[in-house]
Every structure is written in C-alpha cells, then in structure tokens.
Amino acid sequence: MTAHRIFAPLVSALALSACAVGPDYVAPTPPSASSGPFLSAASPAFAPAPVQPDWWRLYNDPVLDGLVTDALAANTDVRIALARLEKARAGLRGARADRLPRTDLSASGDYGRLPASQRAPGAPREDWALDAGLSVSYEVDLFGRVSRGVEAARGDADAAAADADAVRVAVVADTTRAYADAASGAAQLAVNREIVGLLDRLLDLTGKRREAGLATTLDVSRIAALRDQRAADIPLIEAQRQAALFRLATLTGRTPDALPEIAGQRSIGLEIRQAIPVGEGATLLARRPDVRAAERRLAADTARIGVATADLYPRISLGGSGGSTGNDIGAMFGGGPLRWLLGGLISWSFPNQEAARARIAGARADSDAALAAFDGAVLNALEETETALSTYGHALERRQRLQAARDSAGAAARITRAQQREGAIDSLQLLDTERTFAEAEAALAAQDAEVARAQIDVFRALGGSWAS
C-alpha cells in the first residue's frame, strides 16, 4: 500500500472534522449617536462634504505641498512606523508558513575506523560513511491553532498599517503647522515693526512738540515706553519663527541649515477661506487611524483566545522521512541502502491543563482590555473632533471681532492724528489712541496665527487616509 493510499483518507477525514476553537470575531458597533452630524459643525465655517485626504492642498501653496511630500518620504517617525509595519507583515508571513509542510534536508560525511565486528568479511575497516535524508512534517490544524494564529497576525499587521497612517496624519499636521507658524511669525513681525515705526514717528513728533512747549517730558517718556514694549516683542516673535523653521527642517528629515530658503519666505498667514469639509461621525470613525488600529488589535486579541484554547486539545502531526547511507555517492544512490518512514505524532497536555486554562484567561483579559481601548478610541475621536470644530468656530468669531476692533481703532487713530496736527488735542490723547490701535493690530495678528493652528487641528482630528 502506497503512502498516498495510507494518508489521503486520514487527512481528508481530519480536514472535514476540523474546527477552529475559540470565539469568532465580530466587529464592535460604535454608539448609534456617534454616526450623525457633529454638534459643533453647525457654523457656516463647515460643510458636510466628505473630507479631502490631501487636505493641505486646500491652502493652494506649492511650497507647502513640497514640504509635505518631503515629510512623508523622509520623516524619521514615518520611517520607524513603516519599519514596524514591515515587521508585522513579516510576522504574518511567518504565521501563514505554519500552514505549509515543514521540510528538512540533512547530509553528513565521516571518515573513520570501525571494529571488525561491524564490518562485512573482507571489507576495509577504514572507510567513508556518507548519509543524506529528507524529512517532511505537517501539523493537521484540527482545532484551528494555526488558522487562529494567522488571524491574530493579520490583525497585528492591519493595526500596524493603521498606526503608520496615524503617524502620517500627525506628521502632515505638524509640518503644516510649523510652516503656518513660520508664516504667521513673519506676518506678526511685519505688524510689530510697522507699529514700532509708527511709534518712532510719534515719539519724534512729541519730542518736537516738547521743544516747542506743547508737550511735556512725561508725554515723551510714555510714548518711549510704549515703543520699547513693542520693540521688545520683536526678538521673541523672531525666536518663535526660527523655532518653527527648525522644527520644519526636522519634520522633513533635514538638518536646520539644509531647509530650502523658500520655506521661510511666506509672510502672509496660512488660512483657508472656504468652508471646511468635515463629513459626519460614521465616516470619521471609519477614517480615524487610531480607531482602526484599536479595532484591529481587538480582532487580533480575540483570535489569540482561539490559539490559547487550541492547547486544550491534542496536536496532531503527520510526517515522513527518507534517506540513504553508503561509503560513496554511487553506493548511496545506486538503489541499495535506501530507507523511508511514514508516521504520525499526537501530543496532548492532559490531564493537567491548568497552565493552558491560565493562558486562555489571560487572552480573554487582553481581549477585554482591547475592547475597552476601542471604546476609548471612539470616544476620544469624537471628543477631539468636536473640540477642534468648536475651537476653530470660536477662533473665527473672535478674529471677526478683533478685526472690527482693529478697523475702529485705525479710524480713531487717523482722526486723532488729524486733530493733533490741528492742535485740537494734546499728545496724551494721541498716545492713548495710538496705544489702542497698536494693541488691536498686534491682537489681530496673533489671532490670525491662532486661527491657522485651530484650522490645522480640525484636519488632524478628522484624520486622513493613505494606501499603506
């Protein structure tokens, strides 16, 4: 009877009776209330349209587009995440390999002297002993240990892919924010230098009026103090702008001196004037990488319950081996000393299964923790998004009011300057008006930077999607 006739019926019977032990994974369902429109998206600043994955292109800035491309290609955090993804995928390939027969080739060659009793009459006592063989073994996955292991490894790989997307989301948002901070810094520098120049002119005019007896030394000192206060803000803003450019260099995988000069040339704050597309809750949860990673880890941990449960049952392996031994190559493969062996092995930890049951309990605890982590990821995603939308909407509202205040202060300053030239008011009244205008200008410039940051935070909260 051939080996095929021996093992084919047995393998078929085992395959028909095989079943994967442990719970079958069912994806958790987020709360129904989380699938509707966002509470904070009622503002005209938002639109219910689907989120654009490459959202940074809405700024229509080719320099930013290039920086984001560089960051996605060279950022060290992205490279680490991709390396971890490759490791997880290698683990999946290893788990899948357990479905295949395991083969081992062996060969040996020895030269030695044997006792006469171990040699045929007339044969030399010193000779070569050559041996070669092939062994094949295959685990019959009767209780799903291997298939559950593949399922767990697949979940780990999917979670690593989602983690890589989460890193991309963070890197793109951080790159855009660093670029926006540098641009906002340049805009604030321009505003503060303009204010200092204005106060320099006012200081010169007040000094001349003092010489003419129309102003006092106190008036000059007050204007000088205000001018020095505004001038003192310039080094701080410049330092913050430089820090943003250094951060931008690191994010794009460069040393600070290697950042292209064009990256720091924008002097107008970064902002999208159109309504931001935000989608709704259901698409958010499907898109957010942290939610996807948590769901995939839950799937992997659920599968590991099955891996642990399979240890309660026998592990069955089928195998065979063949080989030949001789004192030269011709003797080994001349049809003489050939050997072969077929058989099966059953291993079973029984009746003491407490260790296996402890592993099952640990796997169930890991699954419970993964479910809690998924629920937390859903709640965190909704919280972050609602907070970002609310913050951005209120930042726009504050900007509108600051702009109205700046316009009013500018009109008042122009009127006051004209009145002073005509001698209708003194320098102290002009000083108060100019101080109000300076503070309004600086506050608006600072708020423009806050609007840009809040806008980027919205996109960060909404997540993104890439083909991993």
Side-chain angles (χ1 to χ4, degrees):
M1 182 178 292
T2 65
H4 175 76
R5 290 180 179 178
I6 295 173
F7 285 107
L10 177 58
V11 172
S12 299
L14 291 174
L16 290 174
S17 62
C19 63
V21 296
D24 292 326
Y25 176 69
V26 177
T29 303
S32 58
S34 66
S35 61
F38 299 113
L39 298 176
S40 304
S43 168
F46 307 111
V51 177
Q52 182 173 329
D54 53 349
W55 53 266
W56 61 91
R57 298 188 186 278
L58 294 173
Y59 291 106
N60 196 26
D61 188 321
V63 176
L64 175 60
D65 294 344
L67 291 170
V68 169
T69 299
D70 292 345
L72 290 174
N75 181 267
T76 54
D77 289 338
V78 172
R79 289 162 53 197
I80 291 170
L82 292 178
R84 289 172 176 167
L85 174 57
E86 286 303 311
K87 180 180 179 181
R89 287 175 172 170
L92 176 58
R93 291 197 300 272
R96 286 173 173 166
D98 289 340
R99 290 173 168 171
L100 303 175
R102 179 172 299 176
T103 57
D104 293 292
L105 286 172
S106 63
S108 65
D110 300 296
Y111 184 84
R113 177 184 177 89
L114 295 176
S117 60
Q118 298 182 16
R119 285 292 187 182
R125 295 178 61 185
E126 296 183 7
D127 204 352
W128 283 96
L130 304 179
D131 184 84
L134 168 68
S135 61
V136 180
S137 63
Y138 174 73
E139 180 180 345
V140 180
D141 194 23
L142 187 61
F143 300 103
R145 188 190 72 84
V146 175
S147 61
R148 292 298 194 194
V150 172
E151 189 179 336
R154 185 182 297 112
D156 289 337
D158 291 343
D163 286 339
D165 279 353
V167 173
R168 291 186 181 100
V169 170
V171 166
V172 169
D174 289 343
T175 301
T176 307
R177 179 162 182 168
Y179 181 72
D181 285 347
S184 297
Q188 291 181 72
L189 281 173
V191 169
N192 277 268
R193 285 168 178 160
E194 181 181 352
I195 292 173
V196 170
L198 183 151
L199 292 173
D200 281 337
R201 293 192 298 272
L202 179 59
L203 183 61
D204 181 66
L205 175 62
T206 306
K208 292 178 180 179
R209 287 174 61 81
R210 182 190 62 179
E211 294 174 358
L214 301 175
T216 67
T217 302
L218 179 60
D219 295 335
V220 174
S221 298
R222 286 176 173 175
I223 296 175
L226 179 59
R227 184 262 179 204
D228 290 341
Q229 287 174 358
R230 289 302 173 191
D233 290 338
I234 292 177
L236 176 61
I237 298 172
E238 182 63 41
Q240 292 172 342
R241 178 176 176 274
Q242 288 296 322
L245 292 174
F246 296 151
R247 188 167 71 253
L248 188 60
T250 300
L251 286 164
T252 55
R254 296 179 171 95
T255 57
D257 60 343
L259 186 68
E261 185 177 351
I262 193 173
Q265 291 179 349
R266 183 178 178 118
S267 59
I268 301 174
L270 201 64
E271 186 179 358
I272 300 172
R273 299 292 182 177
Q274 69 184 66
I276 295 179
V278 297
E280 40 81 33
T283 56
L284 168 74
L285 298 180
R287 185 177 57 249
R288 284 267 302 210
D290 55 340
V291 176
R292 289 189 281 118
E295 187 273 331
R296 289 288 79 205
R297 289 192 173 92
L298 174 59
D301 286 340
T302 302
R304 290 188 181 95
I305 299 175
V307 174
T309 304
D311 288 340
L312 295 175
Y313 301 94
R315 187 177 300 184
I316 301 174
S317 297
L318 303 178
S321 64
S324 179
T325 302
N327 57 5
D328 57 47
I329 299 296
M332 289 178 62
F333 299 103
L338 296 175
R339 66 179 185 275
W340 61 271
L341 178 68
L342 298 175
L345 172 66
I346 298 179
S347 59
W348 190 13
S349 298
F350 186 84
N352 184 6
Q353 297 183 317
E354 187 57 31
R357 296 187 183 279
R359 289 192 294 271
I360 295 171
R364 290 188 181 278
D366 286 341
S367 178
D368 291 341
L371 177 58
F374 171 80
D375 291 340
V378 169
L379 296 176
N380 183 66
L382 295 172
E383 177 199 356
E384 284 186 357
T385 304
E386 292 286 3
T387 300
L389 295 175
S390 176
T391 300
Y392 178 62
H394 287 94
L396 286 179
E397 183 181 352
R398 186 171 188 270
R399 183 185 183 279
Q400 291 174 352
R401 295 182 180 180
L402 287 174
Q403 188 170 16
R406 190 279 312 270
D407 294 343
S408 298
R414 288 191 297 271
I415 295 172
T416 305
R417 292 185 204 118
Q419 290 177 340
Q420 193 211 33
R421 285 194 297 269
E422 296 171 359
I425 62 172
D426 59 20
S427 298
L428 185 58
Q429 290 175 291
L430 178 60
L431 172 62
D432 289 336
T433 305
E434 292 292 357
R435 180 190 295 114
T436 301
F437 176 63
E439 291 175 351
E441 281 272 40
L444 181 59
Q447 186 60 23
D448 284 341
E450 289 301 321
V451 168
R453 295 187 189 105
Q455 198 170 65
I456 294 166
D457 286 343
V458 168
F459 289 115
R460 182 198 293 265
L462 292 174
S465 62
W466 286 267
S468 300

